Amino acid sequence: MQLRPLYYAYLLLGLALATSSGLAYAGPSLLRVSTAPALGPVLGARAIPGQVVVLRAQSAGRVEYVAGPAGTPVRSDEIVVGLGTNALRAQRAQAEAAYQAAQVALGNGYSQYQVQLYNYGGGNSWNPFSWFGQAFAAMMGNQRNPWATYLAGLDNRRATALQARSNLESAAWRIREIDAEIRDAYGVSPFYGVILQKDVNPGDVVQPGQSLLVLGGAGPAQILVEVPTGMSTDLRWGDTLEVRSPESRGTVRARIIQIAPEANAQTHTIAVKLALPGHTGIRAGDYVTVRLPAVSSASMGVAIPRSALLPGRSLPSVLVDVAGVTQLRVLRLGESLANDRVQVLAGLRPGEIIVNDPPAGIGSGYHLVTSSTGASS
């Protein structure tokens, strides 16, 4: 291997300055690569509204009103969609007429019952001629009991009055039913929010159960992440996970508020919802990443300071000490860590020695003054 006197002198000078009293030198040094604590897997996820309501048609009809397209803000108790109610209002008018007719029939039934109740046609002790009339009727073959006839008439009048009362109650409940159908013809927002999806336009004819609008609440967003079943065993309600959005800097901690009781049969994943704190800058619909807890026995490999990366190279690279001679290694980096360190997924093994703070333009083939300093990353 060719000797490089310039780099040899450079390292020698750096070590001399570093050991001199009262001076601190930040030149090249040697670091021993060591393992680092484990990092959990990172999964892609999406932000969803904290509240989602789907307004569906309760009856068939024609759409007459829609509050606006997707993205339109709505207020609480605001009518956001409406169907035509002309046929329902006509039915209500008929039900009101039936109610009034039942009221008249009920009044007449009570009157007839009162007449029958106080108009018994039997014999009168103060009018002996009435007894002769009944006796003569019996002699002529009419054996009807006047008391039985009176009771039969009374029951008939009472049955007529009860039927009229039932008809009145039926008409009143029919009016209430039609009023409920009229109310169901108008979709009302239950909260302050925004229209997420508009499925109909004015003039469309809809059927019961058809989706009309999808509304989202205006509160803090939530995170929905599909976790593979093998990674979900350590998740617990109330735990906090690290959430990162590509559009915003830094990370936030989100709390688990819901874990699906069963896995999706097609994707073999568990749906997990996280509650974001307020004012995170993450909006509904944003793509985010969620880091799951690491297995306690796992290791993320190795980690090195960013200062060990060779400057000016398109691919991340370091110089590794191999028997006192530098060797260029191209790395595959992972996550950024604390203290300005970076995760190394491939290219280095624990225990190897690398050059820290290498000068620009240096490559492989340089002889080192010493192969180890005993330092670790």
Side-chain angles (χ1 to χ4, degrees), residues 174-333:
R174 178 55 182 160
I175 292 175
R176 295 189 183 96
E177 180 183 6
I178 295 174
D179 289 341
E181 293 178 0
I182 292 176
R183 287 193 299 270
D184 290 341
Y186 298 95
V188 178
S189 173
F191 45 64
Y192 285 88
V194 64
I195 297 177
L196 299 178
Q197 180 178 325
K198 182 170 75 75
D199 297 327
V200 293
N201 295 302
D204 291 345
V205 177
V206 297
Q207 300 300 322
Q210 183 174 340
S211 175
L212 304 176
L213 291 177
V214 180
L215 305 179
Q222 296 178 356
I223 302 299
L224 176 62
V225 56
E226 299 289 341
V227 181
T229 53
M231 300 180 182
S232 63
T233 55
D234 293 333
L235 297 180
R236 298 292 184 270
W237 188 91
D239 292 347
T240 59
L241 302 180
E242 181 183 285
V243 176
R244 181 187 296 271
S245 173
E247 288 78 13
S248 60
R249 297 181 178 180
T251 60
V252 296
R253 304 292 298 185
R255 182 172 54 87
I256 297 178
I257 59 174
Q258 181 179 338
I259 300 177
E262 60 182 11
N264 188 302
Q266 284 72 36
T267 61
H268 305 288
T269 57
I270 300 291
V272 178
K273 283 186 179 181
L274 310 174
L276 287 170
H279 308 291
T280 61
I282 299 177
R283 301 170 301 178
D286 287 350
Y287 172 81
V288 298
T289 58
V290 177
R291 183 181 296 280
L292 300 183
V295 180
S296 58
S297 60
S299 172
M300 70 175 185
V302 300
I304 62 174
R306 287 190 177 274
S307 57
L309 298 175
L310 289 173
R313 291 191 174 264
S314 57
L315 297 176
S317 308
V318 295
L319 290 176
V320 181
D321 171 24
V322 179
V325 180
T326 59
Q327 183 183 85
L328 182 66
R329 293 274 185 88
V330 177
L331 309 179
R332 183 160 67 93
L333 302 181

Side-chain angles (χ1 to χ4, degrees), residues 157-174:
R157 296 292 189 271
R158 180 167 53 193
T160 301
L162 292 176
Q163 182 178 2
R165 187 173 66 180
S166 298
N167 293 338
L168 181 65
E169 293 178 353
S170 176
W173 283 110
R174 178 55 182 160

